[in-house]
Amino acid sequence: MSGLPYWTTDIGGFVVANPDDPAYRELYVRWFEFGAFCPIFAAHGTRTTNQNEIWSYGPDAQKILTSYDRLRYRLMPYIYSLAWRTTHDGYSIMRPLVSDFRDDMRAQNIGDQFLFGPSILVNPVTEPGATRRRIYLPDATWTDFWTGVSVRGGKSLDVDAPLDREPLFVRAGSIVPLGPDLQYAAEKPADPIELRIYSGADGSFTIYEDEGDNYNYEKGTFATIPIRWENRSSMLTVGDRTGSFPGMLQQRTFHAVVVRPGHGTGIEPTSEPERSIRYDGKQQTVHFETR
């Protein structure tokens, strides 16, 4: 609520805990899912086994933890662009619902859900043994990140929340850029980028890039790519790139995906995007057939 842009927690708690304890394993998994959508994703703490790696919590937990680690890395184009907004515009990445739905009295009183950037509604699971979670969706159209099913907001509902699924919903009009699988942030350039389009409203997003390892951005050494979705005409425009930096990709590929049930969902790259756009920095506009 204070607008502190890089708030976070130590995943698992900075306490003496046992990774072999089934109850603590569940807590750690749920905390890790929550942490994947904090501005800083940090697993710290003291463990009785002196082990805190992903594989330290058993094979079942490892599978889940690895999937959310992958998702965090795939979201790097989105997250890094939000970090630029934080620096450039005084934005806040982790946002209470009231920040974006100020006239919604119910949103003013929600303390256990938040927006990660402008698009992703995160609903952490904090009850042990839970397989369902009651959430509130503000007045907009929202799409389940895992299934692609859309629902109109302005109401509360119960949603599935098995141990491997933190309920995530994406607001209509969102354009969420997802990069390739990475083992570490600087492993390779973010190419191709999958643009997941959540139709139902007009939307825009600006992708930000720089050298990634210095302060030259303070001198204007960076590039931005504006992207716009016009819902009524089903038109996507990838605008002219502005700026440049050493090592910038001169050509890249965008895989454009209009999310629908069973298509453009979950962590894995979408195997059959609607359009693949070869981009050289000049504006391109593509039309999508409505389904």
Side-chain angles (χ1 to χ4, degrees):
M1 290 296 294
S2 69
L4 182 68
Y6 290 108
W7 182 92
T8 196
T9 67
D10 294 316
I11 293 170
F14 214 99
V15 296
V16 177
N18 184 0
D20 295 326
D21 175 8
Y24 182 69
R25 285 184 175 183
E26 180 189 4
L27 171 66
Y28 191 84
V29 167
R30 289 301 196 186
W31 203 325
F32 197 93
E33 292 171 352
F34 162 64
F37 293 92
C38 291
I40 298 173
F41 187 28
H44 295 297
T46 302
R47 310 292 177 247
T48 58
T49 60
N50 202 31
Q51 302 294 316
N52 197 39
E53 293 80 13
I54 280 177
W55 55 85
S56 305
Y57 294 84
D60 292 339
Q62 179 181 351
K63 183 178 179 181
I64 300 169
L65 300 175
T66 300
S67 68
Y68 279 85
D69 195 50
R70 287 183 60 214
L71 177 56
R72 175 73 176 201
Y73 273 108
R74 289 211 68 206
L75 281 166
M76 282 301 295
Y78 178 77
I79 296 168
Y80 204 59
S81 298
L82 296 180
W84 171 70
R85 284 190 64 184
T86 298
T87 296
H88 190 263
D89 300 327
Y91 192 67
S92 180
I93 299 173
M94 191 177 189
R95 306 172 65 74
L97 301 191
V98 69
S99 292
D100 291 44
F101 298 93
R102 300 184 182 187
D103 297 326
D104 186 332
M105 290 295 294
R106 294 185 67 179
Q108 293 177 23
N109 293 287
I110 297 293
D112 60 355
Q113 302 172 239
F114 62 93
L115 286 159
F116 189 60
S119 301
I120 303 173
L121 177 62
V122 183
N123 309 280
V125 178
T126 58
E127 294 295 327
T131 58
R132 301 273 288 173
R133 202 240 201 244
R134 189 160 185 81
I135 67 171
Y136 174 67
L137 296 177
D139 188 15
T141 297
W142 299 90
T143 297
D144 188 321
F145 175 81
W146 304 107
T147 67
V149 174
S150 297
V151 62
R152 186 66 197 176
K155 61 185 178 184
S156 295
L157 68 159
D158 293 317
V159 297
D160 289 335
L163 185 59
D164 64 350
R165 182 177 296 186
E166 180 178 37
L168 303 171
F169 286 80
V170 187
R171 190 184 342 194
S174 294
I175 302 168
V176 178
L178 295 170
D181 274 317
L182 297 174
Q183 294 296 311
Y184 55 94
E187 179 184 0
K188 55 188 175 183
D191 186 62
I193 287 179
E194 180 177 332
L195 298 175
R196 290 195 183 173
I197 302 160
Y198 293 83
S199 60
D202 293 343
S204 63
F205 191 83
T206 298
I207 293 176
Y208 170 89
E209 295 180 306
D210 61 23
E211 294 170 90
D213 60 359
N214 58 53
Y215 290 91
N216 289 340
Y217 69 90
E218 294 180 345
K219 305 172 185 177
T221 306
F222 61 84
T224 57
I225 303 173
I227 304 171
R228 185 174 70 254
W229 169 255
E230 296 176 18
N231 192 67
R232 185 172 183 178
S233 59
S234 297
M235 300 284 286
L236 179 73
T237 299
V238 181
D240 291 330
R241 180 170 52 212
T242 301
S244 65
F245 58 90
M248 182 182 74
L249 290 177
Q250 298 300 317
Q251 292 192 331
R252 67 183 327 138
T253 300
F254 290 109
H255 294 319
V257 177
V258 179
V259 176
R260 60 181 187 275
H263 180 72
T265 61
I267 298 169
E268 298 298 330
T270 303
S271 59
E272 296 182 0
E274 277 80 353
R275 295 293 186 90
S276 290
I277 303 168
R278 281 296 287 170
Y279 179 75
D280 63 0
K282 301 299 183 182
Q283 177 171 303
Q284 294 190 47
T285 299
V286 295
H287 176 264
F288 293 81
E289 296 294 333
T290 57
R291 293 177 180 266

